[in-house]
Amino acid sequence: MTEWILDRTFPSSSGEVRWAQLGSPGLPPVVLLHGTPFSSYVWRAVARALAPDHRVLVWDMPGYGASEKGAGQDVSLDAQARVFTELLDHWGLSGGPGRPPAVVAHDFGGCVALRAHLLHGAAYERLALVDPVALAPWGSPAYRLLGAHSDVFTQLPPALHRALVREYVSSASHQGLAAPVLERLVDDWCGAAGQPAFYRQIRQNDQRYTDEIQGRYGELELPVLICWGAEDTWIPPAKGAELAALIPGAELRLLANTGHLVQEDAPAELTAAVGRFLLGGRFRPGD
């Protein structure tokens, strides 16, 4: 399994954030946002592929991956958007003479990026959304059950909890995750800090955070690419077409034989799509 280490820290308003930079600081900046229940680890292949031509910034949101996990922590989508805005400022990407970053966001990272832009004024050069949480309704029956009874599930014996998380994470892939990758993703949610953190983030991820911005997608005035796994069982591909219709000029790209976790099912295809978009290119029929 390829090593993935976030070697820098930032004291955000929701706890310590771990982050890393790939590529030269002088290159065009691009920030990658993960979703749930994942971490920046899922971006490792895409990040490394983009690094020769970009300053790539990756981070684990508070409550996820290597970042701080703790009781009473605010890990809601509202909080994550505020933290992202703080990070952009920390990285020197929140305004001034510097070039605004391109942003690539997966799953609920899409909501985080959209909220930061629409509610907090975060500036982006362009925005790529990958199977994003952006339109109501969202959240599978299993997801809602876990959130509604988080206090009960937190008390599961560790082995049962791990089996539950393993099954849940596995379902995000259409092609099936390699065993080392699956265990790496599951490990983040196990142990004394990880198990309660898993249910905490589900409990706090309320649909109102997309409801607050859904009516404003027509205000987006930047290039937007929407990539979607054609076999996504978590968020139906039809949501991609619905979202693209709400965003002026948005481009929709369906990736065949790919589930919700596009970074693992089709890393080369996703990198090609994102790379072309970052360079200002568009797809032609048959590409």
Side-chain angles (χ1 to χ4, degrees), residues 219-260:
E219 300 175 21
L220 294 171
E221 298 180 345
L222 73 167
V224 175
L225 170 69
I226 301 170
C227 290
W228 218 284
E231 306 299 331
D232 188 344
T233 60
W234 282 24
I235 311 178
K239 286 289 186 184
E242 183 181 348
L243 179 60
L246 295 175
I247 300 175
E251 177 185 358
L252 176 63
R253 178 73 170 176
L254 292 179
L255 300 179
N257 198 33
T258 301
H260 185 72

Side-chain angles (χ1 to χ4, degrees), residues 22-24 27-32 43-58 102-104 128 267-268 270-279:
L22 294 79
S24 168
L27 294 171
V30 57
V31 186
L32 308 181
W43 283 117
R44 65 199 181 282
V46 176
R48 287 170 174 144
L50 294 177
D53 300 308
H54 298 86
R55 174 193 178 195
V56 183
L57 294 152
V58 293
V103 170
V104 184
L270 180 60
T271 299
V274 169
R276 180 178 295 186
F277 177 67
L278 294 178
L279 294 175

Side-chain angles (χ1 to χ4, degrees), residues 13-217:
S13 57
S14 284
E16 184 179 88
V17 168
R18 298 294 295 272
W19 65 278
Q21 176 177 287
L22 294 79
S24 168
L27 294 171
V30 57
V31 186
L32 308 181
L33 280 69
H34 66 81
T36 182
F38 313 112
S39 70
S40 63
Y41 176 73
V42 299
W43 283 117
R44 65 199 181 282
V46 176
R48 287 170 174 144
L50 294 177
D53 300 308
H54 298 86
R55 174 193 178 195
V56 183
L57 294 152
V58 293
W59 59 297
D60 286 351
M61 298 185 194
Y64 293 79
S67 290
E68 183 177 338
K69 302 181 179 80
Q73 188 177 23
D74 186 353
V75 295
S76 67
L77 292 168
D78 181 47
Q80 304 292 3
R82 291 197 306 271
V83 170
F84 183 41
T85 307
E86 294 168 9
L87 266 175
L88 290 173
D89 184 60
H90 177 67
W91 292 329
L93 299 175
S94 60
R99 181 177 181 175
V103 170
V104 184
H106 176 241
D107 185 76
F108 92 167
C111 176
V112 172
L114 288 164
R115 287 182 67 89
H117 180 69
L118 292 169
L119 301 182
H120 302 293
Y124 313 145
E125 182 180 67
R126 51 189 54 231
L127 174 63
L129 300 168
V130 183
D131 296 65
V133 171
L135 297 173
W138 53 268
S140 67
Y143 189 89
R144 291 193 292 269
L145 176 68
L146 293 171
H149 302 283
S150 59
D151 290 343
V152 175
F153 284 104
T154 301
Q155 300 175 55
L156 283 175
L160 286 179
H161 166 75
R162 187 176 187 90
L164 183 154
V165 176
R166 184 186 293 114
E167 194 66 26
Y168 182 66
V169 171
S170 295
S171 69
S173 168
H174 176 66
Q175 299 183 19
L177 297 172
V181 172
L182 176 58
E183 295 310 313
R184 175 63 150 69
L185 294 172
V186 171
D187 282 344
D188 286 337
W189 301 115
C190 295
Q195 183 164 341
F198 179 76
Y199 302 107
R200 183 183 305 118
Q201 52 90 18
I202 295 177
R203 183 176 66 250
Q204 293 186 25
N205 286 339
D206 195 284
Q207 185 177 292
R208 71 179 184 272
Y209 297 122
T210 53
D211 292 343
E212 289 173 356
I213 57 172
Q214 184 170 327
R216 298 185 57 183
Y217 296 156

